[in-house]
C-alpha cells in the first residue's frame, strides 16, 4: 500500500511547485521508472524465486544467481547511461534530459534491489523486504518533494534526490540478501539465463505497453500534454503497485508448488487475486473523480473520464501475473518472447493516431484493452500446457465484472460532489466486501478446528 500511495501523496504538492515543463519531465521519468521496475522484475528475479525451491541446494543456487544479477545490473545500467549521455552530448541537449539520464541509473539500481528482494521474499523475510521497498519508493518521493521545496523547483533536483534513496535501498538489499559467487553453479546459471532470455523481449514489450503512448504523446504533442496525461496515471500505477506487492506472496506459493496443486493453495491464490483485482478496479474507479481533483490543477472532463477508466488496467495485470507465474513455475517461458511483443505492437499501432490528435481518453481505452487482452492471451498459453494450471472461468467472470463496474462509473456525473459521494460509497463497499471475504477464508479453518476438538 505504501508503494501505491507514495507518488499519490506527493504529486498534489509537486505538480503545484513545478512549472508545466518541469512537471512533465518528472512525471515522464517516474512513469519510466515504474515500467522499468515491472520489466526488470519479470526476468532473473522471477527465475531466482523459482530456483530457491529447487530440492537440490536451491537456496545456495539462488544466492549465486543473486550475485550474477547484481553484477549484470551494474554493467547494464552503466552501459545504458553512458550511451544515453554520449548521444545527448553529441546532440547538445544534455541539460534538458538530465532527469531522464538519472532515471536510467535508478532503473539499474532497482535491478540490484529486485534481485535482493526476490531472495528475501523466498526466505519469507517480510520486515527486511518491506523496509527496503519503502526506502526505494516512498522515501524517494518524499526526498524529491523536500528537495524542490528547499533547494530548487527543478526536475533534475527531484530525480537526483529520488536516486539517493534508491541507491540506499540497493545497498541495504545487498547487505541483507548476501549475494553469492556468480559463477559457483555454472550449470544452474546457464539454465537460469536460458529461462530468462525469452523474457527479455517480453520485458521490453511490457515497457512499451505501459509507457509507449506517453513517448508518442511527447514526440507528437510535447511535454505539457504528456504531463496532463501522466497526472492521472497514478490511478493505474497505484493498483499495479499494490498487485506487485501482493504478488510477492502469490508467486512464492505458485513457484513452490511447481505446477502441482494437491493442497488447493494455488487455486486459493487465484481466487484471492481475482477478488483483489476486482476490488482495485471498483476502488480506483470509484475514487477517480475525487482523486483527479486532488492530483490535477483544474482537470478537464476528459481527464475525469480517463481516470475512471485506468484502474481497469490492474485487473488485466492480475490475470497476466497469475498466468505468467505458472509459466515460470513449470519452466515454459519461450512463448513469452512472442505473445507480449505481439500484443504491445497491436496496442501501440492503435495508439499512434489518437496520440497525434491528443485524444487522451481513446489512448487510455486502448491501453486498458491491451492489458485485458494480454491477460486473456496468457490464460490460453498456460492452458496449452495444462488446463488445470489456471481457472479460466473464474478469470473471465472477474474480468466481466470489472468491465461492468468501470462502464457503470463512466456513466456517473463528474462533479466534485458526486466524486466525494462515490468515493465514500466505494470505501464502504470495499470494507464490506473485504470483511465478507476474510470471514469466508476463516470459516473452513474454524470448522476443521471444531472437528478436531
Amino acid at each position: 500500500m505504501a508503494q501505491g500511495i507514495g507518488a499519490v501523496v506527493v504529486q498534489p504538492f509537486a505538480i503545484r511547485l513545478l512549472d508545466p515543463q518541469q512537471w512533465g519531465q518528472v512525471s515522464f521519468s517516474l512513469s519510466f521508472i515504474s515500467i522499468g521496475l515491472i520489466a526488470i522484475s519479470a526476468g532473473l528475479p522471477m527465475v531466482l524465486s523459482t530456483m530457491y525451491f529447487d530440492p537440490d541446494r536451491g537456496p545456495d543456487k539462488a544466492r549465486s544467481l543473486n550475485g550474477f544479477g547484481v553484477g549484470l545490473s551494474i554493467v547494464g545500467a552503466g552501459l545504458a547511461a553512458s550511451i544515453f549521455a554520449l548521444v545527448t552530448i553529441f546532440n547538445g541537449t544534455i541539460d534538458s534530459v538530465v532527469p531522464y539520464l538519472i532515471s536510467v541509473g535508478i532503473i539499474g539500481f532497482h535491478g540490484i534491489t529486485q534481485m535482493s528482494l526476490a531472495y528475501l521474499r523466498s526466505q519469507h523475510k517480510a520486515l527486511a523486504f518491506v523496509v527496503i521497498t519503502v526506502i526505494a519508493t516512498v522515501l524517494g518521493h518524499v526526498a524529491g518533494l523536500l528537495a524542490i521545496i528547499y533547494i530548487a523547483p527543478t526536475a533534475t533536483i527531484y530525480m537526483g534526490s529520488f536516486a539517493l534513496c534508491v541507491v540506499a535501498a540497493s545497498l541495504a538489499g545487498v547487505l541483507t540478501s548476501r549475494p553469492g559467487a556468480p559463477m559457483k553453479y555454472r550449470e544452474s546459471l546457464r539454465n537460469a539465463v536460458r529461462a530468462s532470455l525469452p523474457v527479455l523481449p517480453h520485458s521490453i514489450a511490457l515497457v512499451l505497453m505501459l509507457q509507449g503512448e506517453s513517448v508518442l504523446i511527447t514526440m507528437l504533442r510535447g511535454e505539457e500534454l504528456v504531463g496532463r496525461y501522466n497526472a492521472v496515471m497514478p490511478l493505474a500505477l497505484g493498483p499495479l503497485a499494490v498487485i506487485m506487492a501482493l504478488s510477492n506472496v502469490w508467486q512464492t506459493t505458485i513457484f513452490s508448488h511447481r505446477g502441482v496443486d494437491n493442497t488447493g493453495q494455488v487455486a486459493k491464490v487465484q481466487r484471492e487475486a481475482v477478488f483483489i483485482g476486482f476490488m482495485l478496479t471498483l476502488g480506483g474507479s470509484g475514487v477517480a473523480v475525487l482523486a483527479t481533483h486532488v492530483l490535477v490543477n483544474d482537470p478537464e472532463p476528459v481527464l475525469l473520464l480517463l481516470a475512471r477508466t485506468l484502474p481497469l488496467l490492474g485487473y488485466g495485470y492480475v490475470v497476466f501475473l497469475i498466468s505468467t507465474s505458472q509459466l515460470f513455475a513449470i519452466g515454459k517461458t519461450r512463448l513469452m518472447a512472442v505473445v507480449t511483443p505481439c500484443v504491445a505492437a497491436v496496442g501501440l499501432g492503435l495508439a499512434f493516431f489518437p496520440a497525434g490528435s491528443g485524444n487522451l481518453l481513446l489512448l487510455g481505452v486502448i491501453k486498458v484493452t491491451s492489458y485485458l487482452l494480454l491477460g486473456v492471451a496468457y490464460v490460453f498459453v498456460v492452458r496449452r500446457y495444462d488446463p488445470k494450471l489456471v481457472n479460466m472461468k473464474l478469470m473471465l467472470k472477474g474480468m466481466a465484472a470489472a468491465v461492468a463496474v468501470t462502464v457503470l462509473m463512466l456513466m456517473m456525473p463528474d462533479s466534485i460532489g458526486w466524486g466525494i459521494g462515490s468515493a465514500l460509497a466505494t470505501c464502504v463497499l470495499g470494507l464490506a466486501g473485504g470483511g465478507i471475504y476474510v470471514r469466508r477464508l476463516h470459516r473452513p479453518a474454524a470448522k476443521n478446528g471444531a472437528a478436531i476438538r
Side-chain angles (χ1 to χ4, degrees):
M1 290 181 65
Q3 288 185 89
I5 66 175
V8 176
V9 170
V10 169
Q11 180 175 309
F13 302 99
I15 200 172
R16 289 163 173 82
L17 290 167
L18 300 170
D19 64 48
Q21 182 178 5
Q22 295 293 320
W23 166 248
Q25 290 181 339
V26 169
S27 65
F28 183 85
S29 298
L30 294 177
S31 297
F32 184 64
I33 291 168
S34 296
I35 52 88
L37 183 59
I38 292 174
I40 61 178
S41 64
L44 283 177
M46 294 274 278
V47 176
L48 187 152
S49 293
T50 306
M51 182 180 290
Y52 184 90
F53 297 101
D54 190 334
D56 182 21
R57 293 172 294 177
D60 290 337
K61 292 178 181 178
R63 181 175 279 120
S64 176
L65 182 59
N66 186 9
F68 176 80
V70 168
L72 187 64
S73 296
I74 294 172
V75 173
L79 182 62
S82 299
I83 295 173
F84 192 89
L86 288 173
V87 171
T88 52
I89 291 172
F90 180 78
N91 292 330
T93 57
I94 186 66
D95 291 339
S96 62
V97 296
V98 169
Y100 308 143
L101 181 60
I102 294 173
S103 300
V104 174
I106 288 174
I107 292 174
F109 280 103
H110 269 316
I112 298 173
T113 306
Q114 285 302 304
M115 294 299 294
S116 302
L117 292 178
Y119 192 84
L120 290 173
R121 74 175 178 181
S122 299
Q123 289 184 302
H124 301 292
K125 290 187 176 180
L127 181 59
F129 185 99
V130 170
V131 170
I132 292 171
T133 302
V134 169
I135 292 173
T137 54
V138 181
L139 289 188
H141 289 292
V142 173
L145 177 61
L146 293 175
I148 62 174
I149 291 174
Y150 293 107
I151 301 177
T154 68
T156 299
I157 292 296
Y158 188 104
M159 296 309 302
S161 302
F162 192 99
L164 292 176
C165 293
V166 175
V167 172
S170 66
L171 291 175
V174 170
L175 291 174
T176 52
S177 65
R178 294 178 300 161
M183 307 304 293
K184 184 175 182 180
Y185 299 97
R186 294 177 182 271
E187 184 62 30
S188 296
L189 177 60
R190 280 193 289 268
N191 292 336
V193 172
R194 194 178 299 117
S196 64
L197 278 178
V199 186
L200 180 60
H202 158 83
S203 299
I204 295 172
L206 277 183
V207 170
L208 294 175
M209 285 186 67
L210 198 54
Q211 192 58 39
E213 80 283 1
S214 293
V215 175
L216 289 176
I217 297 171
T218 303
M219 292 171 56
L220 300 174
R221 302 283 297 192
E223 290 177 333
E224 289 192 20
L225 185 61
V226 81
R228 300 294 283 180
Y229 179 76
N230 284 339
V232 294
M233 199 52 62
L235 273 302
L237 297 179
L240 282 185
V242 174
I243 292 165
M244 289 177 68
L246 291 171
S247 72
N248 293 294
V249 179
W250 296 337
Q251 288 179 331
T252 303
T253 302
I254 292 172
F255 294 158
S256 64
H257 282 75
R258 294 177 169 268
V260 179
D261 188 27
N262 294 329
T263 63
Q265 289 299 308
V266 175
K268 183 179 177 181
V269 163
Q270 293 188 37
R271 291 193 297 271
E272 181 176 306
V274 168
F275 174 77
I276 294 294
F278 172 77
M279 295 305 291
L280 286 172
T281 303
L282 173 65
S285 193
V287 305
V289 171
L290 177 60
T292 304
H293 280 283
V294 174
L295 293 170
V296 186
N297 277 324
D298 191 24
E300 53 266 38
V302 67
L303 288 184
L304 297 171
L305 292 173
L306 179 62
R308 284 176 161 173
T309 305
L310 288 175
L312 181 57
L313 184 152
Y315 188 88
Y317 192 77
V318 161
V319 180
F320 155 81
L321 179 75
I322 295 298
S323 302
T324 53
S325 296
Q326 286 284 32
L327 291 178
F328 276 100
I330 63 175
K332 303 292 185 180
T333 59
R334 290 185 179 181
L335 284 177
M336 294 175 71
V338 178
V339 176
T340 311
C342 287
V343 175
V346 171
L348 283 179
L350 294 174
F352 183 82
F353 292 105
S357 63
N359 191 333
L360 301 184
L361 178 59
L362 183 55
L363 277 172
V365 171
I366 291 172
K367 185 186 193 77
V368 168
T369 304
S370 297
Y371 271 84
L372 295 177
L373 176 61
L374 185 71
V376 172
Y378 273 107
V379 167
F380 283 101
V381 170
V382 174
R383 289 176 64 83
R384 177 176 177 268
Y385 295 107
D386 186 349
K388 297 179 182 178
L389 291 175
V390 175
N391 188 336
M392 182 173 68
K393 187 176 180 180
L394 173 68
M395 298 289 172
L396 295 182
K397 278 185 176 180
M399 185 176 294
V403 171
V405 163
T406 303
V407 172
L408 178 63
M409 291 299 179
L410 286 172
M411 297 170 64
M412 297 287 184
D414 59 7
S415 66
I416 185 65
W418 273 92
I420 294 172
S422 65
L424 291 174
T426 299
C427 290
V428 171
L429 287 174
L431 290 172
I436 293 170
Y437 185 79
V438 170
R439 287 185 64 186
R440 288 184 63 184
L441 286 179
H442 286 284
R443 192 178 301 160
K447 287 182 179 179
N448 290 338
I452 291 172
R453 288 192 298 269

